[in-house]
Amino acid sequence: MVKGKLKEKIGEQRKVYEALKAGDASLVCYKEFQNGQWGTDDANYTNRLRLAYFLLYEKIDDEGAVAYLFREELKDRENNSFQGIGSTLCILTWLLRKYNGGHKYDTLFQRAKDANFDCACGYDVENAVEEDFGKNDLLDCIFLCQEMEYKDVMGILVDAWKEGRGNPADWNPSDRRTLIGFNAFLDRNTENEALYQKQLDEILDTGSGNPRNMVAGYRDLIRFYLDEGDYGKGARFCHILLETMDYGQVRGIRLFGDILEECCEIVAHDPAGNQGLWTQIKEELQAQSQSAWYGNLYTKGIAAARAADDPYAEKLERAYRRWRKERGLSD
């Protein structure tokens, strides 16, 4: 079965396990680095996750290896700027519990509970983890591939999943959203244009009149074009939305802020070609109540106003400084 390809891939971790047993922990030890805007991160997190799944599914009985990996994972949970719990900690907790006779590792489990806010709220040493790889269905295996960043195997499994479900154009919205996520992860973004368009067409064809769903459909398609660098198509759908939607229905929807952001990005990229769009968006920005403003809307609005050589940029900059000061944010 095609799922066996993932099982084989996980089996390749035996080399990492043997290296660890030989004293080489370089691939799985905590390796701190600064990850751009995210802050403190661990370069070996995914490697440790892969090895944890190997120990789980191959049913490796090795207390020393599990305890070592658990301690290394704790360093990440305690220092990672993103915090979180993560599958690695859950798997290693399940494995380490087997060796906790006489409460040998209770101190480590408590340390995990205290590692960060997310762990304090959601980590539970009693949570069970499924050890039988065979109980994973095809979709489970795809998500496992994504989690372990096995793109080569994931692509094969996604193709098999698509083939088993027929033409994606006939799928329900939930399945299309799932495929969109897979395609984005696999760098198959060109396939997503038709899927986003189909999502929007279905929302509009139902005639449900749900403003939030319509705004979300436009938002996703426009965001796709901007991420692909196709600002012309993005601008076209911005105009369609602004010309067809009842502003009275959508102004109070949080998602409309995303549309304003996207329009500002388009204007900032090509102010000369989008003067009309800037005129519309400027009116919308001016109509926004103070409580509706937030960081990204300020910064993107300022960038658009500057690109359009509009004095409105100065007013936005002053408002943004006040907004940051009220929240105790540094300049």
Side-chain angles (χ1 to χ4, degrees), residues 120-235:
C121 295
Y123 174 77
D124 188 345
V125 71
E126 299 297 327
N127 284 346
V129 174
E130 179 56 62
E131 295 181 324
D132 185 355
F133 178 84
K135 291 186 177 180
N136 293 307
D137 62 20
L138 181 56
L139 196 57
D140 292 330
C141 289
I142 293 173
F143 282 114
L144 284 171
C145 285
Q146 186 169 2
E147 186 179 23
M148 289 184 276
E149 299 183 12
Y150 286 144
K151 288 188 177 183
D152 52 349
V153 177
M154 182 178 170
I156 296 171
L157 269 57
V158 168
D159 290 340
W161 181 66
K162 288 166 57 179
E163 184 177 351
R165 301 190 67 80
N167 187 348
D170 299 326
W171 292 4
N172 61 47
S174 178
D175 284 340
R176 278 198 297 272
R177 283 193 294 271
T178 298
L179 180 56
I180 285 170
F182 291 157
N183 285 339
F185 185 79
L186 293 170
D187 300 317
R188 298 177 175 180
N189 289 324
T190 55
E191 298 180 25
N192 281 343
E193 180 177 6
L195 296 172
Y196 278 123
Q197 183 67 68
K198 181 68 174 178
Q199 295 283 74
L200 177 59
D201 290 344
E202 280 195 1
I203 293 170
L204 298 178
D205 289 344
T206 59
S208 64
N210 186 318
R212 187 187 186 285
N213 290 343
M214 287 187 282
V215 171
Y218 278 107
R219 186 267 321 264
D220 291 344
L221 182 59
I222 295 168
R223 182 74 261 163
F224 166 78
Y225 285 127
L226 298 193
D227 289 342
E228 290 297 296
D230 194 337
Y231 291 89
K233 285 187 178 179

Side-chain angles (χ1 to χ4, degrees), residues 222-246:
I222 295 168
R223 182 74 261 163
F224 166 78
Y225 285 127
L226 298 193
D227 289 342
E228 290 297 296
D230 194 337
Y231 291 89
K233 285 187 178 179
R236 181 162 66 87
F237 279 96
C238 283
H239 282 295
I240 293 173
L241 170 62
L242 295 174
E243 291 169 3
T244 60
M245 294 296 293
D246 181 348

Side-chain angles (χ1 to χ4, degrees), residues 40-172:
T40 303
D41 205 343
D42 178 10
N44 278 339
Y45 173 80
T46 302
N47 290 337
R48 205 161 45 249
L49 173 66
R50 292 171 176 175
L51 186 56
Y53 271 119
F54 170 78
L55 297 175
L56 177 73
Y57 288 138
E58 295 297 325
K59 298 178 172 56
I60 304 296
D61 184 6
D62 190 332
E63 179 180 355
V66 172
Y68 171 78
L69 293 171
F70 190 95
R71 289 187 174 94
E72 294 303 294
E73 183 63 19
L74 281 182
K75 296 175 186 177
D76 189 17
R77 295 307 94 217
E78 291 169 338
N79 294 287
N80 197 299
S81 297
F82 194 68
Q83 299 193 20
I85 302 173
S87 297
T88 308
L89 184 62
C90 295
I91 295 169
L92 293 174
T93 298
W94 172 255
L95 295 176
L96 195 60
R97 280 176 52 188
K98 301 176 183 180
Y99 309 109
N100 197 35
H103 304 285
K104 182 178 180 179
Y105 293 108
D106 281 1
T107 301
L108 282 183
F109 294 142
Q110 185 59 49
R111 184 177 158 192
K113 184 70 173 175
D114 298 336
N116 59 52
F117 179 80
D118 295 324
C119 287
C121 295
Y123 174 77
D124 188 345
V125 71
E126 299 297 327
N127 284 346
V129 174
E130 179 56 62
E131 295 181 324
D132 185 355
F133 178 84
K135 291 186 177 180
N136 293 307
D137 62 20
L138 181 56
L139 196 57
D140 292 330
C141 289
I142 293 173
F143 282 114
L144 284 171
C145 285
Q146 186 169 2
E147 186 179 23
M148 289 184 276
E149 299 183 12
Y150 286 144
K151 288 188 177 183
D152 52 349
V153 177
M154 182 178 170
I156 296 171
L157 269 57
V158 168
D159 290 340
W161 181 66
K162 288 166 57 179
E163 184 177 351
R165 301 190 67 80
N167 187 348
D170 299 326
W171 292 4
N172 61 47

Side-chain angles (χ1 to χ4, degrees), residues 231 235 239 263-279 302-310:
Y231 291 89
H239 282 295
C263 290
C264 287
E265 288 182 51
I266 291 169
V267 172
H269 177 77
D270 181 14
N274 291 284
Q275 293 179 354
L277 181 61
W278 172 241
T279 299
I302 291 168
R306 286 175 176 170
D309 198 22
D310 191 320

